[in-house]
Amino acid sequence: MRINRKYMLTAILSALLVAAGCDRLEQWFGKNKDGQGFVKEIPAGTDGNSNQVAMLLPDFTRLVDQQGPAVVNIQATRNNRNIDNEAGPDALPDNDPFYEYFKRLLPNVPQTPQANDDEYNFGSGFIISKDGYILTNTHVVNGMNNIKVLLNDKREFQAKLIGADVQSDVALLKISANELPVVELGNPEELKVGEWVAAIGAPFGFDNSVTAGIVSAKGRSLPEENYTPFIQTDVAINPGNSGGPLFNLKGQVVGINSQIYSRSGGFMGISFAIPIDVAMNVAEQLKTSGKVQRGRLGVVIQEVNYNLAKSFGLDKANGALITQVVAGGPAAKAGLLSGDIVQSVNGDELKNSSDLPVKVGLLPPGKQIVLGIWRKGQKEEIRVTLDNVSPAVANPASSASSTIMPTDGTSFAEHRLGLVLRATAQGLIIEDISGLAAQVDLRRGDIIIAVGQKLVHDEKDFDNAVAASGKNVPLLIRRANNTLFIAMMLP
């Protein structure tokens, strides 16, 4: 492997400069309980180079010493089968290239059994109270009736499942013990993209393994995970890490390692953690009532992009655009409309549409909230009393009918927009597209329901609504079982 001498010299100089330190680091990462920082810094602009970037050299040794004892290994089985008697190097096929290596050098490393994998789960967790409450992932223990917890000091306990929430993938366990080491909890809101983080867990059964990386993004919304604003990192997470803690450089837990993005089944540089404030909200409900209740607003939303922001008269693209209001739901009762843009919840600004279900989901049913909305070019406030999320209303968009009921209306062309439309009982169906319409995401068969917040039923309605919109035209369309806004920018 070739080594660039310039980079080597830079690395040596960087190491020598570490001794200088910098008090500013305490403002970013703080200190541990002994008053020592977890990282060292090379300040910017040294050696007369004002363009030099400040470099942080993370030191995880104290973090591991102080917080590692509160991290546990979890082994879960179905039907009370004993993992220890069925695991080990002998569980590997004889022709596996690592068979002899594990056999001779690491004879006690636990291995996932080869057969009936659905009866075994390995994972991690961490202790949040001295009397034995432990957080982990639901998918580690779900469906298992024999859960064993292995502590850092080699003690083993049978754990009781207090409760598990599939939606958030958070589970709460309890072991019979006292005066246990506990983790310190941090505030995920204070995390910054690019900040160092570390994970401790048991990947593939290798307990007390430490991996590190940086925060790649915050507030990630994943499919079917509307209530969790995931922390994305490049920390190496593999099977067995699930349920383990994600630490910041203050030695505080800021998340629970939960998922990875992978095309191969292994780590590919993208992992996701559940913010600890979300997890603790779930854990408290599980501890108190054994179940989790989330507030429901009763709307379908979409992201506000730049063109949509302009079409609705906004200076910047933020908030959540309502595309559908569920009949009889809290939003409908409060008077919210399709085309309203929710910009804040109880005064907290929404940067992205995914922020809305997260903020609402953290509140209990029956809670009254104040929504700051943008409607017809003006800001308004609307009070809404939340109800409870239930499976029957979890996906309101799926209940919308896509059956088209044609009328006797003839087709008409909107040459300026590049559309050929026909009136139906549900709206104006697009029969052909060209010009401007072909440049946006409009398709044949889409049904135009409204222009902005004005419903359109025929050519006259459509012409009047487009004329009133000026050069930025927001079209509300129905496509199959979904409704969405598409902005057309006229020349």
Side-chain angles (χ1 to χ4, degrees):
M1 180 177 65
R2 298 178 62 185
I3 301 176
N4 188 303
R5 292 185 180 180
K6 180 179 178 181
Y7 291 159
M8 179 182 292
L9 180 59
T10 301
I12 294 172
L13 290 174
S14 298
L16 293 174
L17 288 169
V18 167
C22 183
D23 292 338
R24 286 184 297 129
L25 193 60
E26 299 173 17
Q27 300 174 6
W28 297 353
F29 299 109
K31 295 184 176 181
N32 63 7
K33 295 177 181 178
D34 299 326
Q36 296 176 303
F38 284 105
V39 293
K40 299 178 181 178
E41 182 191 32
I42 298 175
T46 57
D47 290 341
N49 180 3
S50 61
N51 295 321
Q52 179 172 312
V53 177
M55 291 181 286
L56 299 180
L57 302 176
D59 181 359
F60 298 107
T61 54
R62 287 189 293 273
L63 185 155
V64 174
D65 288 342
Q66 294 175 5
Q67 303 298 323
V71 181
V72 302
N73 188 356
I74 296 173
Q75 299 177 356
T77 63
R78 189 177 287 117
N79 300 325
N80 295 316
R81 299 184 67 172
N82 191 337
I83 295 178
D84 293 333
N85 293 335
E86 301 185 35
D90 292 332
L92 290 169
D94 291 343
N95 60 353
D96 192 293
F98 290 102
Y99 177 81
E100 287 299 327
Y101 173 77
F102 286 127
K103 183 76 173 180
R104 289 181 292 179
L105 300 181
L106 297 169
N108 297 319
V109 172
Q111 299 289 334
T112 303
Q114 295 294 308
N116 300 322
D117 285 344
D118 60 340
E119 295 186 4
Y120 305 85
N121 271 341
F122 292 88
S124 304
F126 52 96
I127 305 169
I128 59 173
S129 69
K130 291 186 177 182
D131 59 347
Y133 282 98
I134 296 170
L135 280 185
T136 187
N137 284 147
T138 294
H139 73 260
V140 172
V141 297
N142 198 27
M144 302 297 171
N145 53 21
N146 181 34
I147 303 170
K148 184 166 66 174
V149 171
L150 291 76
L151 302 190
N152 185 269
D153 60 9
K154 307 303 180 183
R155 286 185 292 169
E156 299 182 2
F157 294 89
Q158 288 297 125
K160 177 183 178 182
L161 179 61
I162 301 300
D165 179 50
V166 175
Q167 185 76 49
S168 64
D169 197 24
V170 173
L172 182 65
L173 306 178
K174 178 70 168 66
I175 60 175
S176 298
N178 292 296
E179 298 304 317
L180 295 171
V182 298
V183 297
E184 181 181 349
L185 303 182
N187 182 3
E189 292 294 327
E190 296 177 356
L191 268 183
K192 297 183 183 299
V193 174
E195 181 177 333
W196 282 95
V197 284
I200 304 178
F204 301 106
F206 292 91
D207 56 349
N208 304 316
S209 296
V210 183
T211 54
I214 64 169
V215 177
S216 304
K218 293 177 60 179
R220 286 295 194 208
S221 179
L222 303 181
E224 308 300 326
E225 301 285 355
N226 294 333
Y227 297 103
T228 305
F230 285 96
I231 303 167
Q232 179 186 332
T233 75
D234 67 352
V235 177
I237 300 297
N238 288 290
N241 276 116
S242 292
L246 182 73
F247 291 98
N248 62 17
L249 285 180
K250 295 178 183 178
Q252 300 168 330
V253 176
V254 290
I256 303 178
N257 298 309
S258 175
Q259 302 183 38
I260 62 172
Y261 174 82
S262 176
R263 293 181 176 179
S264 65
F267 177 68
M268 294 184 67
I270 301 177
S271 55
F272 300 97
I274 304 162
I276 193 61
D277 55 347
V278 174
M280 290 303 295
N281 178 281
V282 171
E284 189 61 35
Q285 293 190 60
L286 291 175
K287 183 179 178 181
T288 303
S289 63
K291 62 181 181 180
V292 178
Q293 291 187 316
R294 295 181 175 86
R296 180 183 77 110
L297 188 56
V299 294
V300 180
I301 60 175
Q302 75 176 81
E303 193 69 31
V304 180
N305 60 31
Y306 176 75
N307 286 340
L308 282 173
K310 289 186 65 177
S311 68
F312 282 99
L314 289 171
D315 295 331
K316 59 181 181 178
N318 62 359
L321 175 56
I322 297 177
T323 63
Q324 182 181 341
V325 179
V326 179
K333 294 176 181 177
L336 285 168
L337 304 172
S338 294
D340 286 344
I341 298 177
V342 182
Q343 297 182 306
S344 65
V345 177
N346 290 335
D348 294 333
E349 181 184 357
L350 304 181
K351 294 183 179 179
N352 304 298
S353 63
S354 58
D355 294 341
L356 180 59
V358 171
K359 291 184 180 296
V360 170
L362 288 173
L363 300 172
K367 177 78 172 180
Q368 187 181 79
I369 61 174
V370 179
L371 299 180
I373 68 166
W374 181 263
R375 175 184 291 175
K376 296 181 179 179
Q378 294 183 339
K379 290 185 176 182
E380 297 184 21
E381 287 189 349
I382 293 183
R383 297 183 181 275
V384 184
T385 301
L386 305 176
D387 67 6
N388 191 23
V389 172
S390 64
V393 295
N395 186 16
S398 63
S399 63
S401 172
S402 60
T403 303
I404 301 173
M405 302 296 293
T407 66
D408 294 332
T410 58
S411 299
F412 60 94
E414 293 290 338
H415 297 292
R416 187 184 179 194
L417 302 179
L419 292 170
V420 177
L421 306 173
R422 178 186 292 273
T424 72
Q426 292 187 347
L428 306 177
I429 185 171
I430 298 177
E431 293 189 330
D432 196 13
I433 58 174
S434 62
L436 287 176
Q439 298 174 22
V440 297
D441 190 29
L442 289 173
R443 306 174 188 176
R444 293 180 180 87
D446 288 347
I447 301 173
I448 300 176
I449 304 171
V451 177
Q453 293 185 302
K454 182 174 177 56
L455 296 176
V456 292
H457 305 284
D458 52 34
E459 183 177 3
K460 182 179 179 180
D461 287 345
F462 187 79
D463 288 341
N464 291 338
V466 170
S469 298
K471 292 187 176 182
N472 305 313
V473 183
L475 302 178
L476 178 61
I477 68 167
R478 177 173 295 133
R479 178 177 296 163
N481 289 331
N482 299 311
T483 54
L484 68 154
F485 277 96
I486 294 178
M488 296 192 69
M489 317 304 288
L490 303 182

